[in-house]
Amino acid sequence: AAGLTIGFNVLLEHHLSHQARSVLMGRAATAAEALTIDSSGSVTRRTDAPSAADTWIFVDGQTLYEPTSVDSVRDVVEQVASGPAQFFETEKAGELAVLVRPVISGGTRIATVVSVEHINPLKSLQRTAQVGSTILGLLLIAGVYVVSRRVTDAALRPVTEMSKQAEKWSYSDIE
């Protein structure tokens, strides 16, 4: 039961992290596809590009695009904008999943897309599932104990009765 509980919790954590990563990869890909390079080599964002929720685009260390009303995560985003491609979770500015995706053209990094997702709901779900699976595992262990105790008692009942009968016979043989 303990192994199943631990396995379930590890699998759930991996699945939720993978889900957050997939969402961020989709956002980053959409944001990267919205970039164009003009004849002078300047990187711009197409005007018809859809707005990208919680996604920033940096070109040469300058912000080309940023979503509105996300001041709480700006520091985290700016710290990783010039870094390598990566995915990580952090507890800075709340629980966040962060994906950094360099945009390469002609072998040169022309921009960086950073996409974030608030994963508080996913972490809350994970904690609830961990508590629930632990309680279920403990109930399963208790149930197995009770059943095995009853089965063992029932199996040993004839031995107890035979011992009592043998004791009676031995007393009667002595008299």
Side-chain angles (χ1 to χ4, degrees), residues 16-17 19-20 117-127:
L16 293 176
S17 180
Q19 184 178 3
E117 176 72 22
H118 292 274
I119 55 174
N120 296 12
L122 295 178
K123 291 296 183 177
S124 177
L125 171 66
Q126 181 181 352
R127 285 187 288 274

Side-chain angles (χ1 to χ4, degrees), residues 30-38 41-47 49-52 55-68 74 77-78 81 103 110-114:
T30 300
E33 290 170 5
L35 298 177
T36 59
I37 303 173
D38 64 19
S42 295
V43 178
T44 57
R45 184 172 179 269
R46 287 194 335 259
T47 56
S51 61
T55 300
W56 285 255
I57 301 172
F58 294 90
V59 176
D60 295 328
Q62 301 298 314
T63 306
L64 176 67
Y65 175 82
E66 66 180 320
T68 57
R74 183 185 318 269
V77 170
E78 288 176 349
V103 180
I110 60 164
T112 302
V113 176
V114 180

Side-chain angles (χ1 to χ4, degrees), residues 73-92:
V73 298
R74 183 185 318 269
D75 290 340
V76 174
V77 170
E78 288 176 349
Q79 288 174 2
V80 299
S82 60
Q86 60 182 316
F87 170 79
F88 63 94
E89 294 178 5
T90 182
E91 293 183 8
K92 294 179 182 175

